[in-house]
Short mmCIF file of all heavy atoms in Angstrom, two decimals:
data_model
loop_
_atom_site.label_atom_id
_atom_site.label_comp_id
_atom_site.label_asym_id
_atom_site.label_seq_id
_atom_site.Cartn_x
_atom_site.Cartn_y
_atom_site.Cartn_z
N ILE E 28 40.47 148.02 125.40
CA ILE E 28 39.61 146.83 125.44
C ILE E 28 40.03 146.02 126.67
O ILE E 28 41.20 145.73 126.85
CB ILE E 28 39.77 145.96 124.18
CG1 ILE E 28 39.37 146.77 122.92
CG2 ILE E 28 38.95 144.69 124.28
CD1 ILE E 28 39.59 146.02 121.60
N GLY E 29 39.07 145.68 127.52
CA GLY E 29 39.45 144.89 128.69
C GLY E 29 38.31 144.73 129.67
O GLY E 29 37.20 145.21 129.46
N PRO E 30 38.59 144.05 130.81
CA PRO E 30 37.54 143.75 131.79
C PRO E 30 37.23 144.93 132.70
O PRO E 30 38.10 145.72 133.04
CB PRO E 30 38.15 142.59 132.61
CG PRO E 30 39.63 142.81 132.51
CD PRO E 30 39.88 143.42 131.16
N VAL E 31 35.95 145.04 133.06
CA VAL E 31 35.50 145.98 134.09
C VAL E 31 34.62 145.18 135.08
O VAL E 31 34.17 144.08 134.77
CB VAL E 31 34.73 147.18 133.50
CG1 VAL E 31 35.63 148.05 132.66
CG2 VAL E 31 33.55 146.72 132.67
N PHE E 32 34.40 145.77 136.25
CA PHE E 32 33.81 145.00 137.34
C PHE E 32 32.68 145.79 138.01
O PHE E 32 32.87 146.92 138.45
CB PHE E 32 34.88 144.66 138.40
CG PHE E 32 36.05 143.92 137.82
CD1 PHE E 32 37.10 144.62 137.22
CD2 PHE E 32 36.11 142.54 137.84
CE1 PHE E 32 38.18 143.94 136.66
CE2 PHE E 32 37.17 141.86 137.28
CZ PHE E 32 38.20 142.56 136.69
N ARG E 33 31.50 145.18 138.07
CA ARG E 33 30.38 145.79 138.79
C ARG E 33 29.62 144.71 139.55
O ARG E 33 29.25 143.68 138.98
CB ARG E 33 29.43 146.50 137.82
CG ARG E 33 30.05 147.70 137.13
CD ARG E 33 29.05 148.43 136.26
NE ARG E 33 29.72 149.36 135.35
CZ ARG E 33 29.11 150.06 134.42
NH1 ARG E 33 27.79 149.96 134.26
NH2 ARG E 33 29.82 150.86 133.62
N HIS E 34 29.37 144.97 140.82
CA HIS E 34 28.64 144.01 141.64
C HIS E 34 27.15 144.24 141.44
O HIS E 34 26.48 144.87 142.24
CB HIS E 34 29.03 144.16 143.12
CG HIS E 34 28.58 142.99 143.95
ND1 HIS E 34 27.30 142.86 144.40
CD2 HIS E 34 29.24 141.88 144.34
CE1 HIS E 34 27.19 141.71 145.07
NE2 HIS E 34 28.34 141.11 145.06
N GLU E 35 26.64 143.73 140.32
CA GLU E 35 25.22 143.88 140.03
C GLU E 35 24.64 142.50 139.73
O GLU E 35 25.37 141.51 139.61
CB GLU E 35 25.01 144.84 138.85
CG GLU E 35 25.74 144.48 137.58
CD GLU E 35 25.60 145.54 136.50
OE1 GLU E 35 24.91 146.54 136.70
OE2 GLU E 35 26.20 145.37 135.43
N ARG E 36 23.32 142.46 139.60
CA ARG E 36 22.66 141.17 139.35
C ARG E 36 23.03 140.68 137.95
O ARG E 36 22.73 141.35 136.97
CB ARG E 36 21.15 141.34 139.48
CG ARG E 36 20.35 140.04 139.34
CD ARG E 36 18.89 140.29 139.66
NE ARG E 36 18.32 141.30 138.80
CZ ARG E 36 17.85 141.06 137.55
NH1 ARG E 36 17.90 139.84 137.05
NH2 ARG E 36 17.33 142.05 136.83
N PRO E 37 23.68 139.51 137.85
CA PRO E 37 24.03 139.01 136.51
C PRO E 37 22.78 138.84 135.64
O PRO E 37 21.74 138.42 136.12
CB PRO E 37 24.69 137.65 136.79
CG PRO E 37 25.21 137.75 138.20
CD PRO E 37 24.19 138.61 138.91
N GLN E 38 22.87 139.22 134.37
CA GLN E 38 21.76 139.11 133.44
C GLN E 38 22.34 138.85 132.06
O GLN E 38 23.55 138.85 131.89
CB GLN E 38 20.91 140.38 133.45
CG GLN E 38 21.73 141.65 133.26
CD GLN E 38 21.03 142.90 133.69
OE1 GLN E 38 20.09 143.22 133.09
NE2 GLN E 38 21.45 143.60 134.70
N ARG E 39 21.47 138.61 131.10
CA ARG E 39 21.95 138.24 129.78
C ARG E 39 22.92 139.29 129.22
O ARG E 39 22.59 140.47 129.08
CB ARG E 39 20.77 138.09 128.81
CG ARG E 39 21.21 137.67 127.42
CD ARG E 39 20.05 137.24 126.58
NE ARG E 39 20.51 136.82 125.26
CZ ARG E 39 19.73 136.27 124.37
NH1 ARG E 39 18.46 136.05 124.65
NH2 ARG E 39 20.22 135.91 123.19
N GLY E 40 24.10 138.83 128.91
CA GLY E 40 25.09 139.72 128.31
C GLY E 40 25.73 140.71 129.26
O GLY E 40 26.53 141.55 128.84
N ARG E 41 25.45 140.62 130.52
CA ARG E 41 26.05 141.53 131.49
C ARG E 41 26.38 140.75 132.76
O ARG E 41 25.48 140.20 133.39
CB ARG E 41 25.12 142.71 131.79
CG ARG E 41 25.59 143.63 132.92
CD ARG E 41 26.96 144.26 132.66
NE ARG E 41 26.97 145.17 131.56
CZ ARG E 41 26.68 146.49 131.65
NH1 ARG E 41 26.34 147.02 132.79
NH2 ARG E 41 26.75 147.25 130.57
N TYR E 42 27.63 140.69 133.10
CA TYR E 42 28.07 139.90 134.24
C TYR E 42 28.83 140.80 135.20
O TYR E 42 29.04 141.98 134.96
CB TYR E 42 28.93 138.74 133.74
CG TYR E 42 28.22 137.93 132.67
CD1 TYR E 42 28.54 138.08 131.32
CD2 TYR E 42 27.20 137.07 133.01
CE1 TYR E 42 27.86 137.38 130.34
CE2 TYR E 42 26.51 136.36 132.03
CZ TYR E 42 26.84 136.52 130.70
OH TYR E 42 26.16 135.84 129.74
N ARG E 43 29.28 140.25 136.32
CA ARG E 43 29.99 141.06 137.32
C ARG E 43 31.40 141.40 136.85
O ARG E 43 31.92 142.44 137.18
CB ARG E 43 29.99 140.34 138.67
CG ARG E 43 28.59 140.34 139.26
CD ARG E 43 28.47 139.55 140.54
NE ARG E 43 27.10 139.69 141.07
CZ ARG E 43 26.65 139.02 142.11
NH1 ARG E 43 27.43 138.17 142.75
NH2 ARG E 43 25.40 139.21 142.52
N GLN E 44 32.03 140.48 136.15
CA GLN E 44 33.18 140.84 135.34
C GLN E 44 32.72 140.78 133.89
O GLN E 44 32.34 139.73 133.40
CB GLN E 44 34.37 139.89 135.54
CG GLN E 44 35.53 140.24 134.58
CD GLN E 44 36.74 139.35 134.73
OE1 GLN E 44 37.26 139.17 135.82
NE2 GLN E 44 37.22 138.79 133.65
N PHE E 45 32.72 141.92 133.24
CA PHE E 45 32.40 141.92 131.81
C PHE E 45 33.46 142.74 131.09
O PHE E 45 34.39 143.28 131.71
CB PHE E 45 30.97 142.42 131.55
CG PHE E 45 30.69 143.84 132.01
CD1 PHE E 45 30.64 144.88 131.11
CD2 PHE E 45 30.42 144.12 133.34
CE1 PHE E 45 30.36 146.17 131.52
CE2 PHE E 45 30.15 145.43 133.77
CZ PHE E 45 30.12 146.45 132.86
N HIS E 46 33.37 142.81 129.78
CA HIS E 46 34.43 143.44 129.00
C HIS E 46 33.87 144.60 128.19
O HIS E 46 32.76 144.54 127.69
CB HIS E 46 35.08 142.40 128.07
CG HIS E 46 35.76 141.30 128.83
ND1 HIS E 46 35.06 140.29 129.45
CD2 HIS E 46 37.08 141.07 129.10
CE1 HIS E 46 35.92 139.49 130.07
NE2 HIS E 46 37.13 139.94 129.86
N GLN E 47 34.67 145.63 128.09
CA GLN E 47 34.25 146.81 127.34
C GLN E 47 35.25 147.15 126.24
O GLN E 47 36.45 146.94 126.38
CB GLN E 47 34.14 148.02 128.27
CG GLN E 47 32.86 148.08 129.08
CD GLN E 47 32.68 149.40 129.82
OE1 GLN E 47 33.61 150.17 130.00
NE2 GLN E 47 31.45 149.67 130.27
N ILE E 48 34.69 147.68 125.15
CA ILE E 48 35.48 148.41 124.16
C ILE E 48 35.22 149.87 124.47
O ILE E 48 34.08 150.34 124.38
CB ILE E 48 35.03 148.08 122.72
CG1 ILE E 48 35.11 146.58 122.45
CG2 ILE E 48 35.85 148.86 121.71
CD1 ILE E 48 34.20 146.13 121.31
N ASP E 49 36.24 150.58 124.86
CA ASP E 49 36.09 151.97 125.27
C ASP E 49 36.83 152.86 124.28
O ASP E 49 38.03 152.68 124.05
CB ASP E 49 36.65 152.15 126.68
CG ASP E 49 36.24 153.47 127.29
OD1 ASP E 49 35.17 153.53 127.90
OD2 ASP E 49 37.00 154.45 127.13
N VAL E 50 36.14 153.82 123.70
CA VAL E 50 36.71 154.68 122.66
C VAL E 50 36.56 156.13 123.10
O VAL E 50 35.46 156.57 123.46
CB VAL E 50 36.00 154.44 121.31
CG1 VAL E 50 36.54 155.39 120.24
CG2 VAL E 50 36.18 152.98 120.87
N GLU E 51 37.67 156.88 123.10
CA GLU E 51 37.65 158.25 123.59
C GLU E 51 38.36 159.18 122.60
O GLU E 51 39.46 158.88 122.14
CB GLU E 51 38.37 158.36 124.96
CG GLU E 51 37.95 157.31 126.00
CD GLU E 51 36.54 157.49 126.56
OE1 GLU E 51 35.88 158.50 126.21
OE2 GLU E 51 36.08 156.62 127.33
N ALA E 52 37.71 160.30 122.31
CA ALA E 52 38.32 161.37 121.50
C ALA E 52 38.57 162.54 122.46
O ALA E 52 37.65 163.24 122.86
CB ALA E 52 37.39 161.77 120.36
N LEU E 53 39.83 162.72 122.86
CA LEU E 53 40.19 163.69 123.90
C LEU E 53 40.73 164.97 123.27
O LEU E 53 41.64 164.91 122.44
CB LEU E 53 41.27 163.08 124.82
CG LEU E 53 40.92 161.72 125.47
CD1 LEU E 53 42.14 161.14 126.18
CD2 LEU E 53 39.77 161.86 126.45
N GLY E 54 40.14 166.11 123.66
CA GLY E 54 40.63 167.40 123.16
C GLY E 54 39.88 167.92 121.95
O GLY E 54 40.29 168.90 121.34
N PHE E 55 38.77 167.27 121.57
CA PHE E 55 37.96 167.69 120.41
C PHE E 55 36.65 168.30 120.90
O PHE E 55 35.93 167.68 121.68
CB PHE E 55 37.65 166.49 119.51
CG PHE E 55 38.87 165.84 118.91
CD1 PHE E 55 39.46 164.75 119.52
CD2 PHE E 55 39.42 166.31 117.73
CE1 PHE E 55 40.58 164.13 118.97
CE2 PHE E 55 40.53 165.69 117.17
CZ PHE E 55 41.12 164.61 117.79
N ALA E 56 36.32 169.48 120.40
CA ALA E 56 35.16 170.20 120.92
C ALA E 56 33.92 170.16 120.03
O ALA E 56 32.81 170.33 120.51
CB ALA E 56 35.54 171.66 121.16
N GLY E 57 34.07 169.97 118.75
CA GLY E 57 32.97 170.22 117.82
C GLY E 57 31.96 169.08 117.69
O GLY E 57 32.25 167.93 118.04
N PRO E 58 30.78 169.40 117.14
CA PRO E 58 29.77 168.37 116.88
C PRO E 58 30.22 167.38 115.81
O PRO E 58 29.66 166.28 115.72
CB PRO E 58 28.56 169.17 116.40
CG PRO E 58 29.11 170.46 115.88
CD PRO E 58 30.32 170.75 116.71
#
């Protein structure tokens, strides 16, 4: 969980510094 940065046009709920919850399952192949 933390800030990410994109130089894009600010809009509702999306800014140049915004925050993400990033969830990754690494090493799992199945559906």
Side-chain angles (χ1 to χ4, degrees):
I28 299 176
V31 294
F32 304 85
R33 295 184 194 175
H34 195 280
E35 56 186 358
R36 184 173 58 83
Q38 52 198 294
R39 181 168 181 173
R41 173 58 66 88
Y42 307 102
R43 290 175 177 174
Q44 176 180 308
F45 61 103
H46 296 76
Q47 280 189 343
I48 303 158
D49 193 88
V50 177
E51 312 289 355
L53 305 172
F55 298 94

